[in-house]
Amino acid sequence: MELNRRDLLYKCMAMGVVQLGWGLSPASAVEAWIRSENMARAATPIDQLGPFYKKGAPNTAVLRGAGDPGLPLAVAGAVYSTRGEPLPGAKIEIWQTNHLGHYDLSGYRYRAALVAAAKGLYDFQSVIPGHYPARTCQHIHFLVSAPGHKPLVTQMYFGSDPVFKGDPAKNPNDDCPSAELVRPILLTDQPDTMTASATFELVLEAL
Ligand SMILES: [Fe+2]
């Protein structure tokens, strides 16, 4: 596939629809073009904000309390622009239900506001959220903002959710707008301290 892209770029140069500035050889131009294309990332699909967002969540990466029921969940990822640049300093607000499918409406349990670190990295500790009557799929809400970029409102879903019957691509659900938002779950450690982990990349469009 990449070979085809290279061939096409050489053809564009031969036809004159792509022209090279001074000092650029066709080979170096093609390699640089391919490299920058590969760095580009598709914007993360958007999803609804929902009625349970609350401003003022604490800046903590540990949402799970000691002794909280539910399967421990570690989420990690990074915030990027669609050009593939990391966005350190991006603000990431997260909210989800507890294991039983309840949102904390009076306080800030299972709510957090994080700041992306160097290289745009973020991570947090939580539990797999429960189901609740208004929604079919388990999910975690995200609101991500960074200077010069459109705020991203989205949700992360779980490949292990019974709704997807083990195959989110084959068994999509109207409650989840994109299979890209359904993340595979990795189980680690011993059975008595088992933790589920997932990665979730957040890609913001420029303003
Ligand atoms: Fe929700």
Side-chain angles (χ1 to χ4, degrees), residues 52 95 97 103 132 135 139 141 155:
F52 300 118
W95 63 108
T97 72
Y103 280 103
Y132 61 94
R135 295 288 307 274
H139 59 277
H141 294 265
Q155 299 179 29

Side-chain angles (χ1 to χ4, degrees), residues 97-185:
T97 72
N98 65 9
H99 160 68
L100 297 171
H102 300 137
Y103 280 103
D104 183 1
L105 301 178
S106 54
Y108 287 94
R109 291 301 317 280
Y110 292 102
R111 297 173 182 275
L114 310 173
V115 178
K119 297 182 183 168
L121 295 170
Y122 78 93
D123 63 85
F124 63 92
Q125 301 291 323
S126 190
V127 295
I128 299 260
H131 290 92
Y132 61 94
R135 295 288 307 274
T136 309
C137 302
Q138 297 164 303
H139 59 277
I140 299 178
H141 294 265
F142 284 74
L143 169 56
V144 189
S145 49
H149 293 79
K150 292 183 199 165
L152 169 68
V153 178
T154 192
Q155 299 179 29
M156 169 188 172
Y157 297 81
F158 300 87
S160 55
D161 192 326
V163 160
F164 301 119
K165 301 179 187 123
D167 191 343
K170 217 170 164 183
N171 305 304
N173 189 283
D174 288 347
D175 193 44
C176 168
S178 166
E180 283 175 54
L181 300 176
V182 185
R183 310 304 304 156
I185 300 302

